[in-house]
Amino acid sequence: MSHAPVQDWSALSAPTSSLRPSSITPGGFMQAVSLINPDRLWSAWEVLLRPSPVPAAAGVYGWHFEEAPHAGLEAGRLVYVGIAPRYMANRTSTQNLRKRVRYHYRGNAAGSTLRLTLGCLLGLELRRVGSGKRMTFGKAGEATLTQWMANNARVCWIEQDEPWALESKLISQLDLPLNLDQNRHNAFHSRLKELRAQARQRARDLPIGA
């Protein structure tokens, strides 16, 4: 699958309502708009259905939240993007949109940077588990986070053969406060980085949990 080059990315920095149909060009720009202002958003129970509506394909996914996880964030807009698979120079990843999105909804913070971020923003206690090398919010905390996401997290996606290229464009041009990688320019970056670092430090000071 090939796509036309992204054009006029500066328009994406404006609120969605200000995007003019005449300014939308084919290819990556149109795909970006479909993440910012999707035709529909999918809930946890829909994503976790079998068969799942999420394709087992490569692509970019975007997260919107009906309730903001932090007072410094807005609800009801795109605040985080992720990709599946990630770029790997030496091997082929087995990840795809379906696996990744479903894991974010029902996995744990050790395997989902989105869950780690949300749990820290919501004030859940991060703990070392197992051998002590992994950190999660524990069984109770992860269950609380899973329920919060079921109530508030909504996702959309687009298929893309090499999603890492589009991800970099989105992060560089959009206000995506929950993305840390490649996003030091974002106003929320230092606050989020600090919250996650503090949570990890507290976890190191606590005994290993179950």
Side-chain angles (χ1 to χ4, degrees), residues 164-196:
W164 45 87
L166 180 56
E167 179 192 39
S168 293
K169 279 285 190 181
L170 293 170
I171 292 172
S172 69
Q173 296 294 331
L174 300 182
D175 177 17
L176 298 170
L178 298 194
N179 282 89
L180 281 179
D181 188 37
Q182 308 178 70
N183 203 24
R184 290 184 180 179
H185 60 275
N186 192 276
F188 197 66
H189 185 275
S190 59
R191 179 59 177 149
L192 178 56
K193 186 176 180 180
E194 179 186 13
L195 284 171
R196 291 187 16 155

mmCIF file of all heavy atoms in Angstrom, residues 164-196:
data_model
loop_
_atom_site.group_PDB
_atom_site.id
_atom_site.type_symbol
_atom_site.label_atom_id
_atom_site.label_comp_id
_atom_site.label_asym_id
_atom_site.label_seq_id
_atom_site.Cartn_x
_atom_site.Cartn_y
_atom_site.Cartn_z
ATOM 1 N N TRP A 164 5.357 3.925 11.508
ATOM 2 C CA TRP A 164 6.289 4.766 12.262
ATOM 3 C C TRP A 164 6.538 6.111 11.572
ATOM 4 O O TRP A 164 6.765 7.118 12.250
ATOM 5 C CB TRP A 164 7.605 4.029 12.490
ATOM 6 C CG TRP A 164 8.132 3.318 11.283
ATOM 7 C CD1 TRP A 164 8.929 3.834 10.292
ATOM 8 C CD2 TRP A 164 7.872 1.960 10.918
ATOM 9 N NE1 TRP A 164 9.186 2.878 9.337
ATOM 10 C CE2 TRP A 164 8.553 1.715 9.692
ATOM 11 C CE3 TRP A 164 7.145 0.911 11.500
ATOM 12 C CZ2 TRP A 164 8.521 0.481 9.049
ATOM 13 C CZ3 TRP A 164 7.115 -0.320 10.859
ATOM 14 C CH2 TRP A 164 7.791 -0.523 9.649
ATOM 15 N N ALA A 165 6.462 6.162 10.245
ATOM 16 C CA ALA A 165 6.680 7.423 9.541
ATOM 17 C C ALA A 165 5.542 8.402 9.806
ATOM 18 O O ALA A 165 5.763 9.584 10.089
ATOM 19 C CB ALA A 165 6.833 7.172 8.051
ATOM 20 N N LEU A 166 4.320 7.896 9.739
ATOM 21 C CA LEU A 166 3.168 8.752 10.007
ATOM 22 C C LEU A 166 3.122 9.146 11.483
ATOM 23 O O LEU A 166 2.784 10.285 11.824
ATOM 24 C CB LEU A 166 1.871 8.043 9.607
ATOM 25 C CG LEU A 166 0.577 8.828 9.834
ATOM 26 C CD1 LEU A 166 0.613 10.179 9.124
ATOM 27 C CD2 LEU A 166 -0.638 8.018 9.380
ATOM 28 N N GLU A 167 3.490 8.234 12.373
ATOM 29 C CA GLU A 167 3.511 8.544 13.801
ATOM 30 C C GLU A 167 4.421 9.736 14.083
ATOM 31 O O GLU A 167 4.057 10.656 14.831
ATOM 32 C CB GLU A 167 3.974 7.333 14.601
ATOM 33 C CG GLU A 167 4.037 7.588 16.109
ATOM 34 C CD GLU A 167 4.774 6.489 16.862
ATOM 35 O OE1 GLU A 167 5.792 5.976 16.348
ATOM 36 O OE2 GLU A 167 4.340 6.155 17.968
ATOM 37 N N SER A 168 5.597 9.745 13.507
ATOM 38 C CA SER A 168 6.537 10.845 13.724
ATOM 39 C C SER A 168 5.953 12.167 13.248
ATOM 40 O O SER A 168 6.105 13.205 13.907
ATOM 41 C CB SER A 168 7.856 10.565 12.991
ATOM 42 O OG SER A 168 8.518 9.455 13.564
ATOM 43 N N LYS A 169 5.275 12.140 12.100
ATOM 44 C CA LYS A 169 4.638 13.353 11.587
ATOM 45 C C LYS A 169 3.563 13.844 12.544
ATOM 46 O O LYS A 169 3.466 15.033 12.849
ATOM 47 C CB LYS A 169 4.028 13.079 10.216
ATOM 48 C CG LYS A 169 5.000 13.129 9.062
ATOM 49 C CD LYS A 169 5.372 14.565 8.740
ATOM 50 C CE LYS A 169 6.147 14.649 7.443
ATOM 51 N NZ LYS A 169 6.540 16.043 7.126
ATOM 52 N N LEU A 170 2.737 12.932 13.020
ATOM 53 C CA LEU A 170 1.649 13.311 13.921
ATOM 54 C C LEU A 170 2.186 13.926 15.206
ATOM 55 O O LEU A 170 1.698 14.961 15.664
ATOM 56 C CB LEU A 170 0.798 12.084 14.247
ATOM 57 C CG LEU A 170 -0.019 11.475 13.095
ATOM 58 C CD1 LEU A 170 -0.607 10.143 13.526
ATOM 59 C CD2 LEU A 170 -1.118 12.424 12.640
ATOM 60 N N ILE A 171 3.191 13.296 15.791
ATOM 61 C CA ILE A 171 3.735 13.787 17.049
ATOM 62 C C ILE A 171 4.402 15.150 16.870
ATOM 63 O O ILE A 171 4.311 16.023 17.742
ATOM 64 C CB ILE A 171 4.721 12.768 17.650
ATOM 65 C CG1 ILE A 171 3.961 11.506 18.088
ATOM 66 C CG2 ILE A 171 5.481 13.356 18.828
ATOM 67 C CD1 ILE A 171 4.850 10.367 18.526
ATOM 68 N N SER A 172 5.051 15.362 15.734
ATOM 69 C CA SER A 172 5.744 16.636 15.510
ATOM 70 C C SER A 172 4.773 17.774 15.237
ATOM 71 O O SER A 172 5.090 18.933 15.510
ATOM 72 C CB SER A 172 6.736 16.505 14.350
ATOM 73 O OG SER A 172 6.054 16.349 13.111
ATOM 74 N N GLN A 173 3.581 17.474 14.730
ATOM 75 C CA GLN A 173 2.675 18.528 14.297
ATOM 76 C C GLN A 173 1.444 18.719 15.179
ATOM 77 O O GLN A 173 0.815 19.770 15.130
ATOM 78 C CB GLN A 173 2.199 18.242 12.861
ATOM 79 C CG GLN A 173 3.305 18.266 11.814
ATOM 80 C CD GLN A 173 3.922 19.639 11.626
ATOM 81 O OE1 GLN A 173 3.263 20.646 11.825
ATOM 82 N NE2 GLN A 173 5.182 19.675 11.259
ATOM 83 N N LEU A 174 1.099 17.716 15.966
ATOM 84 C CA LEU A 174 -0.121 17.805 16.764
ATOM 85 C C LEU A 174 0.180 17.967 18.248
ATOM 86 O O LEU A 174 1.270 17.654 18.717
ATOM 87 C CB LEU A 174 -0.966 16.540 16.575
ATOM 88 C CG LEU A 174 -1.434 16.219 15.166
ATOM 89 C CD1 LEU A 174 -2.296 14.964 15.187
ATOM 90 C CD2 LEU A 174 -2.195 17.374 14.553
ATOM 91 N N ASP A 175 -0.796 18.429 18.994
ATOM 92 C CA ASP A 175 -0.712 18.508 20.453
ATOM 93 C C ASP A 175 -1.174 17.174 21.011
ATOM 94 O O ASP A 175 -2.370 16.925 21.154
ATOM 95 C CB ASP A 175 -1.596 19.651 20.958
ATOM 96 C CG ASP A 175 -1.600 19.745 22.483
ATOM 97 O OD1 ASP A 175 -0.687 19.160 23.113
ATOM 98 O OD2 ASP A 175 -2.515 20.372 23.033
ATOM 99 N N LEU A 176 -0.206 16.302 21.292
ATOM 100 C CA LEU A 176 -0.491 14.947 21.783
ATOM 101 C C LEU A 176 0.167 14.790 23.152
ATOM 102 O O LEU A 176 1.255 14.236 23.283
ATOM 103 C CB LEU A 176 0.033 13.900 20.791
ATOM 104 C CG LEU A 176 -0.608 13.938 19.409
ATOM 105 C CD1 LEU A 176 0.149 13.044 18.438
ATOM 106 C CD2 LEU A 176 -2.083 13.517 19.483
ATOM 107 N N PRO A 177 -0.467 15.268 24.202
ATOM 108 C CA PRO A 177 0.182 15.364 25.522
ATOM 109 C C PRO A 177 0.562 14.045 26.169
ATOM 110 O O PRO A 177 1.427 14.030 27.050
ATOM 111 C CB PRO A 177 -0.858 16.114 26.367
ATOM 112 C CG PRO A 177 -2.165 15.880 25.673
ATOM 113 C CD PRO A 177 -1.833 15.823 24.226
ATOM 114 N N LEU A 178 -0.053 12.934 25.777
ATOM 115 C CA LEU A 178 0.278 11.664 26.422
ATOM 116 C C LEU A 178 1.402 10.910 25.718
ATOM 117 O O LEU A 178 1.843 9.877 26.207
ATOM 118 C CB LEU A 178 -0.967 10.779 26.535
ATOM 119 C CG LEU A 178 -2.105 11.340 27.386
ATOM 120 C CD1 LEU A 178 -3.122 10.249 27.695
ATOM 121 C CD2 LEU A 178 -1.597 11.968 28.681
ATOM 122 N N ASN A 179 1.870 11.404 24.585
ATOM 123 C CA ASN A 179 3.039 10.815 23.932
ATOM 124 C C ASN A 179 4.301 11.416 24.533
ATOM 125 O O ASN A 179 4.424 12.641 24.647
ATOM 126 C CB ASN A 179 3.015 11.083 22.426
ATOM 127 C CG ASN A 179 2.073 10.167 21.681
ATOM 128 O OD1 ASN A 179 0.891 10.476 21.528
ATOM 129 N ND2 ASN A 179 2.587 9.039 21.228
ATOM 130 N N LEU A 180 5.256 10.577 24.918
ATOM 131 C CA LEU A 180 6.539 11.053 25.432
ATOM 132 C C LEU A 180 7.631 10.983 24.370
ATOM 133 O O LEU A 180 8.379 11.941 24.177
ATOM 134 C CB LEU A 180 6.958 10.240 26.658
ATOM 135 C CG LEU A 180 6.296 10.608 27.990
ATOM 136 C CD1 LEU A 180 6.796 9.687 29.099
ATOM 137 C CD2 LEU A 180 6.580 12.061 28.361
ATOM 138 N N ASP A 181 7.759 9.864 23.692
ATOM 139 C CA ASP A 181 8.801 9.687 22.695
ATOM 140 C C ASP A 181 8.639 10.700 21.565
ATOM 141 O O ASP A 181 7.537 10.902 21.045
ATOM 142 C CB ASP A 181 8.735 8.255 22.140
ATOM 143 C CG ASP A 181 9.900 7.929 21.234
ATOM 144 O OD1 ASP A 181 11.018 8.393 21.529
ATOM 145 O OD2 ASP A 181 9.702 7.216 20.235
ATOM 146 N N GLN A 182 9.720 11.355 21.185
ATOM 147 C CA GLN A 182 9.762 12.353 20.103
ATOM 148 C C GLN A 182 8.908 13.601 20.394
ATOM 149 O O GLN A 182 8.581 14.351 19.489
ATOM 150 C CB GLN A 182 9.265 11.746 18.772
ATOM 151 C CG GLN A 182 9.935 10.460 18.350
ATOM 152 C CD GLN A 182 9.352 9.911 17.067
ATOM 153 O OE1 GLN A 182 9.547 10.489 15.984
ATOM 154 N NE2 GLN A 182 8.623 8.809 17.155
ATOM 155 N N ASN A 183 8.563 13.828 21.663
ATOM 156 C CA ASN A 183 7.550 14.849 21.953
ATOM 157 C C ASN A 183 7.994 15.845 23.031
ATOM 158 O O ASN A 183 7.163 16.381 23.770
ATOM 159 C CB ASN A 183 6.251 14.158 22.381
ATOM 160 C CG ASN A 183 5.024 15.018 22.163
ATOM 161 O OD1 ASN A 183 5.021 15.914 21.329
ATOM 162 N ND2 ASN A 183 3.984 14.739 22.922
ATOM 163 N N ARG A 184 9.295 16.123 23.126
ATOM 164 C CA ARG A 184 9.782 17.036 24.151
ATOM 165 C C ARG A 184 9.235 18.454 23.985
ATOM 166 O O ARG A 184 9.222 19.224 24.946
ATOM 167 C CB ARG A 184 11.309 17.078 24.135
ATOM 168 C CG ARG A 184 11.953 15.791 24.643
ATOM 169 C CD ARG A 184 13.464 15.920 24.696
ATOM 170 N NE ARG A 184 14.086 14.701 25.190
ATOM 171 C CZ ARG A 184 15.390 14.531 25.329
ATOM 172 N NH1 ARG A 184 16.224 15.518 24.997
ATOM 173 N NH2 ARG A 184 15.888 13.392 25.784
ATOM 174 N N HIS A 185 8.804 18.789 22.787
ATOM 175 C CA HIS A 185 8.273 20.125 22.538
ATOM 176 C C HIS A 185 6.893 20.336 23.152
ATOM 177 O O HIS A 185 6.435 21.469 23.275
ATOM 178 C CB HIS A 185 8.189 20.382 21.024
ATOM 179 C CG HIS A 185 7.304 19.393 20.319
ATOM 180 N ND1 HIS A 185 7.771 18.154 19.896
ATOM 181 C CD2 HIS A 185 5.998 19.444 19.958
ATOM 182 C CE1 HIS A 185 6.783 17.505 19.315
ATOM 183 N NE2 HIS A 185 5.700 18.261 19.342
ATOM 184 N N ASN A 186 6.221 19.261 23.558
ATOM 185 C CA ASN A 186 4.861 19.396 24.074
ATOM 186 C C ASN A 186 4.864 20.013 25.473
ATOM 187 O O ASN A 186 5.695 19.680 26.317
ATOM 188 C CB ASN A 186 4.176 18.025 24.104
ATOM 189 C CG ASN A 186 2.686 18.143 24.349
ATOM 190 O OD1 ASN A 186 2.232 18.235 25.477
ATOM 191 N ND2 ASN A 186 1.913 18.136 23.268
ATOM 192 N N ALA A 187 3.898 20.864 25.740
ATOM 193 C CA ALA A 187 3.835 21.581 27.014
ATOM 194 C C ALA A 187 3.635 20.657 28.212
ATOM 195 O O ALA A 187 4.029 20.995 29.333
ATOM 196 C CB ALA A 187 2.707 22.615 26.966
ATOM 197 N N PHE A 188 3.046 19.480 27.993
ATOM 198 C CA PHE A 188 2.765 18.558 29.091
ATOM 199 C C PHE A 188 3.891 17.545 29.298
ATOM 200 O O PHE A 188 3.864 16.766 30.244
ATOM 201 C CB PHE A 188 1.447 17.830 28.824
ATOM 202 C CG PHE A 188 0.838 17.164 30.023
ATOM 203 C CD1 PHE A 188 0.374 17.904 31.099
ATOM 204 C CD2 PHE A 188 0.707 15.777 30.081
ATOM 205 C CE1 PHE A 188 -0.193 17.290 32.216
ATOM 206 C CE2 PHE A 188 0.139 15.151 31.184
ATOM 207 C CZ PHE A 188 -0.303 15.913 32.251
ATOM 208 N N HIS A 189 4.884 17.551 28.421
ATOM 209 C CA HIS A 189 5.913 16.520 28.429
ATOM 210 C C HIS A 189 6.660 16.442 29.754
ATOM 211 O O HIS A 189 6.810 15.352 30.329
ATOM 212 C CB HIS A 189 6.904 16.779 27.294
ATOM 213 C CG HIS A 189 7.944 15.719 27.134
ATOM 214 N ND1 HIS A 189 9.125 15.712 27.864
ATOM 215 C CD2 HIS A 189 7.996 14.617 26.344
ATOM 216 C CE1 HIS A 189 9.851 14.667 27.522
ATOM 217 N NE2 HIS A 189 9.188 13.981 26.600
ATOM 218 N N SER A 190 7.152 17.572 30.260
ATOM 219 C CA SER A 190 7.954 17.551 31.489
ATOM 220 C C SER A 190 7.125 17.099 32.684
ATOM 221 O O SER A 190 7.624 16.371 33.557
ATOM 222 C CB SER A 190 8.565 18.924 31.755
ATOM 223 O OG SER A 190 7.560 19.910 31.889
ATOM 224 N N ARG A 191 5.861 17.502 32.737
ATOM 225 C CA ARG A 191 4.985 17.105 33.838
ATOM 226 C C ARG A 191 4.734 15.596 33.818
ATOM 227 O O ARG A 191 4.825 14.924 34.858
ATOM 228 C CB ARG A 191 3.667 17.867 33.756
ATOM 229 C CG ARG A 191 2.663 17.512 34.849
ATOM 230 C CD ARG A 191 3.233 17.775 36.226
ATOM 231 N NE ARG A 191 2.270 17.522 37.286
ATOM 232 C CZ ARG A 191 2.605 17.092 38.498
ATOM 233 N NH1 ARG A 191 3.872 16.873 38.805
ATOM 234 N NH2 ARG A 191 1.685 16.900 39.409
ATOM 235 N N LEU A 192 4.433 15.060 32.656
ATOM 236 C CA LEU A 192 4.181 13.628 32.534
ATOM 237 C C LEU A 192 5.440 12.825 32.838
ATOM 238 O O LEU A 192 5.384 11.819 33.554
ATOM 239 C CB LEU A 192 3.664 13.306 31.134
ATOM 240 C CG LEU A 192 3.396 11.830 30.834
ATOM 241 C CD1 LEU A 192 2.428 11.221 31.836
ATOM 242 C CD2 LEU A 192 2.863 11.666 29.403
ATOM 243 N N LYS A 193 6.560 13.254 32.319
ATOM 244 C CA LYS A 193 7.822 12.559 32.574
ATOM 245 C C LYS A 193 8.119 12.527 34.066
ATOM 246 O O LYS A 193 8.557 11.508 34.612
ATOM 247 C CB LYS A 193 8.953 13.240 31.807
ATOM 248 C CG LYS A 193 10.281 12.523 31.883
ATOM 249 C CD LYS A 193 11.326 13.213 31.016
ATOM 250 C CE LYS A 193 12.666 12.483 31.096
ATOM 251 N NZ LYS A 193 13.689 13.146 30.242
ATOM 252 N N GLU A 194 7.871 13.648 34.744
ATOM 253 C CA GLU A 194 8.104 13.730 36.183
ATOM 254 C C GLU A 194 7.181 12.796 36.960
ATOM 255 O O GLU A 194 7.622 12.085 37.883
ATOM 256 C CB GLU A 194 7.899 15.169 36.660
ATOM 257 C CG GLU A 194 8.096 15.365 38.159
ATOM 258 C CD GLU A 194 7.745 16.778 38.613
ATOM 259 O OE1 GLU A 194 7.122 17.520 37.830
ATOM 260 O OE2 GLU A 194 8.069 17.120 39.762
ATOM 261 N N LEU A 195 5.901 12.774 36.607
ATOM 262 C CA LEU A 195 4.945 11.900 37.290
ATOM 263 C C LEU A 195 5.325 10.432 37.145
ATOM 264 O O LEU A 195 5.264 9.671 38.114
ATOM 265 C CB LEU A 195 3.540 12.127 36.736
ATOM 266 C CG LEU A 195 2.811 13.394 37.186
ATOM 267 C CD1 LEU A 195 1.529 13.590 36.380
ATOM 268 C CD2 LEU A 195 2.491 13.317 38.676
ATOM 269 N N ARG A 196 5.743 10.035 35.956
ATOM 270 C CA ARG A 196 6.131 8.638 35.748
ATOM 271 C C ARG A 196 7.414 8.306 36.501
ATOM 272 O O ARG A 196 7.543 7.223 37.069
ATOM 273 C CB ARG A 196 6.262 8.352 34.247
ATOM 274 C CG ARG A 196 4.917 8.379 33.556
ATOM 275 C CD ARG A 196 4.891 7.962 32.099
ATOM 276 N NE ARG A 196 6.013 7.260 31.561
ATOM 277 C CZ ARG A 196 5.938 6.436 30.505
ATOM 278 N NH1 ARG A 196 4.761 6.215 29.920
ATOM 279 N NH2 ARG A 196 7.005 5.854 30.021
#
